[in-house]
Amino acid sequence: MERGLIGGYKSYAYDTVIAGHFQENETYFINRPNGRHDWLMTFTLDGEGYFKVPGKELISQFGDVTLLKPDIPHQYGTRRGHTWYFVWAHFSSNVIETSLLPNDNLIQQRIENESARQRIHHAFTRVISDSRERGEYWNELCCTAIREIIMLLAQKKRHIMDSRIEETLYLLSQRMREPIRIEELAQSVGLSASRLSHLFKTITGHSIVDTLNRMRVQQAALLFEHTERSATQVCFDVGFQNYNHFTNQFRKWYGINPSSYMKNNRLAAIELGNHSFASQFNTNE
């Protein structure tokens, strides 16, 4: 097995996650003519770096996530005249389903919206922290955080969307229980209220208000299915301030009023429980 040097760290076990964060000047340079037997993923926080594989070269800048395939000859380092501040992780293909990993030897995806960048950075931070602390299940925790990043990249690749609309959807989900102010949302994503409203509906097919109400009633449906809370309680739990408005919106998206939906699901749960009990009784008999 190859013994690779990763920024000063020797790696002998390729099923083990290795991670860190570097701030390197223009002298930083890694050359691996035979590649490595694991994946390399980096996330650039500031400055500029570069990657080279046969037939391809990429420049890594702020917000870029770069993935390098195993066993590919490569070079990477800090661009001349720059400093490169980045976090990195080496991980095995066993960490995640092969279908979610890219086929290209070297790919790069820029993360445009701030919430997604923060989420990826936090995931990398958890990987670095857990790999250093080496507590119980540390490698499994690292793998879980890496899976989160890879799945976010796969999701973004499959559903390409304007970063400002992505950010708006994130803000709606975070503020679902609060009164909506389109002017504040627009300011957060750097657009006028009218421009955001038009762009949002063009891309999603729904208005901002409709989308928020759909989020609320979907959450309400989950609460009806999995809790014993009343329809009135759920109404306020998900952010509606008026029960009649909640009822109208629930009927709009589910074709039934919330009380009926709640009763139907709870009756179905009781019947399922009775059936399971009867089956167990007959088996024991």
Side-chain angles (χ1 to χ4, degrees):
M1 180 180 290
E2 174 195 355
R3 295 188 177 186
L5 188 65
I6 312 171
Y9 295 91
K10 287 185 177 179
S11 171
Y12 303 93
Y14 285 97
D15 282 341
T16 300
V17 174
I18 307 165
H21 58 79
F22 289 160
Q23 186 164 0
E24 302 289 344
N25 61 28
E26 63 182 10
T27 64
Y28 178 68
F29 170 72
I30 298 293
N31 181 31
R32 296 194 180 103
N34 299 315
R36 279 181 51 90
H37 298 319
D38 54 10
W39 287 84
L40 170 63
M41 178 166 58
T42 67
F43 181 44
T44 298
L45 305 174
D46 199 8
E48 293 187 10
Y50 68 89
F51 288 85
K52 292 182 181 180
V53 298
K56 191 171 188 178
E57 179 174 357
L58 295 175
I59 304 301
S60 290
Q61 299 175 319
F62 171 69
D64 286 337
V65 178
T66 306
L67 271 169
L68 178 64
K69 203 172 184 178
D71 301 315
I72 302 300
H74 62 264
Q75 299 176 7
Y76 64 89
T78 304
R79 289 194 75 195
R80 188 176 297 277
H82 292 271
T83 297
W84 188 22
Y85 182 34
F86 64 103
V87 286
W88 55 268
H90 282 272
F91 62 94
S92 165
S93 299
N94 297 330
V95 167
I96 195 165
E97 297 87 343
T98 305
S99 61
L100 293 176
L101 291 168
N103 293 320
D104 294 345
N105 293 338
L106 178 67
I107 69 158
Q108 188 166 270
Q109 191 166 341
R110 178 157 296 176
I111 309 303
E112 299 283 357
N113 59 308
E114 178 63 21
S115 59
R117 286 196 297 266
Q118 288 182 2
R119 185 170 181 177
I120 289 172
H121 191 191
H122 290 162
F124 264 107
T125 300
R126 295 199 306 273
V127 173
I128 295 168
S129 176
D130 287 327
S131 67
R132 289 176 176 175
E133 292 176 16
R134 298 295 180 103
E136 192 171 6
Y137 305 119
W138 73 270
N139 199 57
E140 289 82 356
L141 290 169
C142 290
C143 291
T144 298
I146 288 172
R147 283 171 55 84
E148 178 183 353
I149 298 170
I150 297 296
M151 286 189 285
L152 284 171
L153 296 177
Q155 182 185 63
K156 288 181 177 297
K157 187 175 181 180
R158 292 177 183 178
H159 303 284
I160 299 173
M161 182 180 287
D162 187 292
S163 61
R164 296 164 296 186
I165 303 306
E166 279 189 325
E167 186 71 13
T168 302
L169 287 167
Y170 171 79
L171 292 172
L172 288 176
S173 69
Q174 293 297 298
R175 305 173 186 175
M176 188 182 73
R177 299 180 65 181
E178 303 173 11
I180 184 173
R181 294 181 176 84
I182 295 177
E183 292 78 9
E184 290 182 4
L185 291 173
Q187 186 176 9
S188 297
V189 300
L191 293 172
S192 68
S194 59
R195 175 60 180 156
L196 174 62
S197 297
H198 175 76
L199 186 63
F200 190 97
K201 188 163 187 177
T202 299
I203 291 175
T204 68
H206 298 285
S207 71
I208 293 173
V209 173
D210 274 349
T211 300
L212 176 61
N213 285 331
R214 182 179 61 182
M215 286 183 182
R216 287 170 170 169
V217 298
Q218 286 173 335
Q219 182 65 19
L222 285 174
L223 292 174
F224 287 144
E225 293 166 17
H226 300 287
T227 74
E228 298 297 321
R229 296 182 72 73
S230 69
T232 302
Q233 288 173 320
V234 168
C235 165
F236 293 105
D237 285 342
V238 300
F240 286 100
Q241 301 302 312
N242 180 282
Y243 186 78
N244 289 333
H245 182 46
F246 170 54
T247 299
N248 292 335
Q249 288 298 314
F250 200 95
R251 189 182 294 113
K252 173 181 176 179
W253 293 103
Y254 281 89
I256 188 173
N257 67 49
S259 296
S260 298
Y261 186 92
M262 176 184 64
K263 290 175 184 177
N264 291 345
N265 275 276
R266 290 177 183 173
L267 285 173
I270 292 171
E271 290 175 2
L272 180 62
N274 290 339
H275 176 74
S276 298
F277 177 79
S279 299
Q280 183 180 12
F281 180 80
N282 292 333
T283 301
N284 292 337
E285 185 179 40

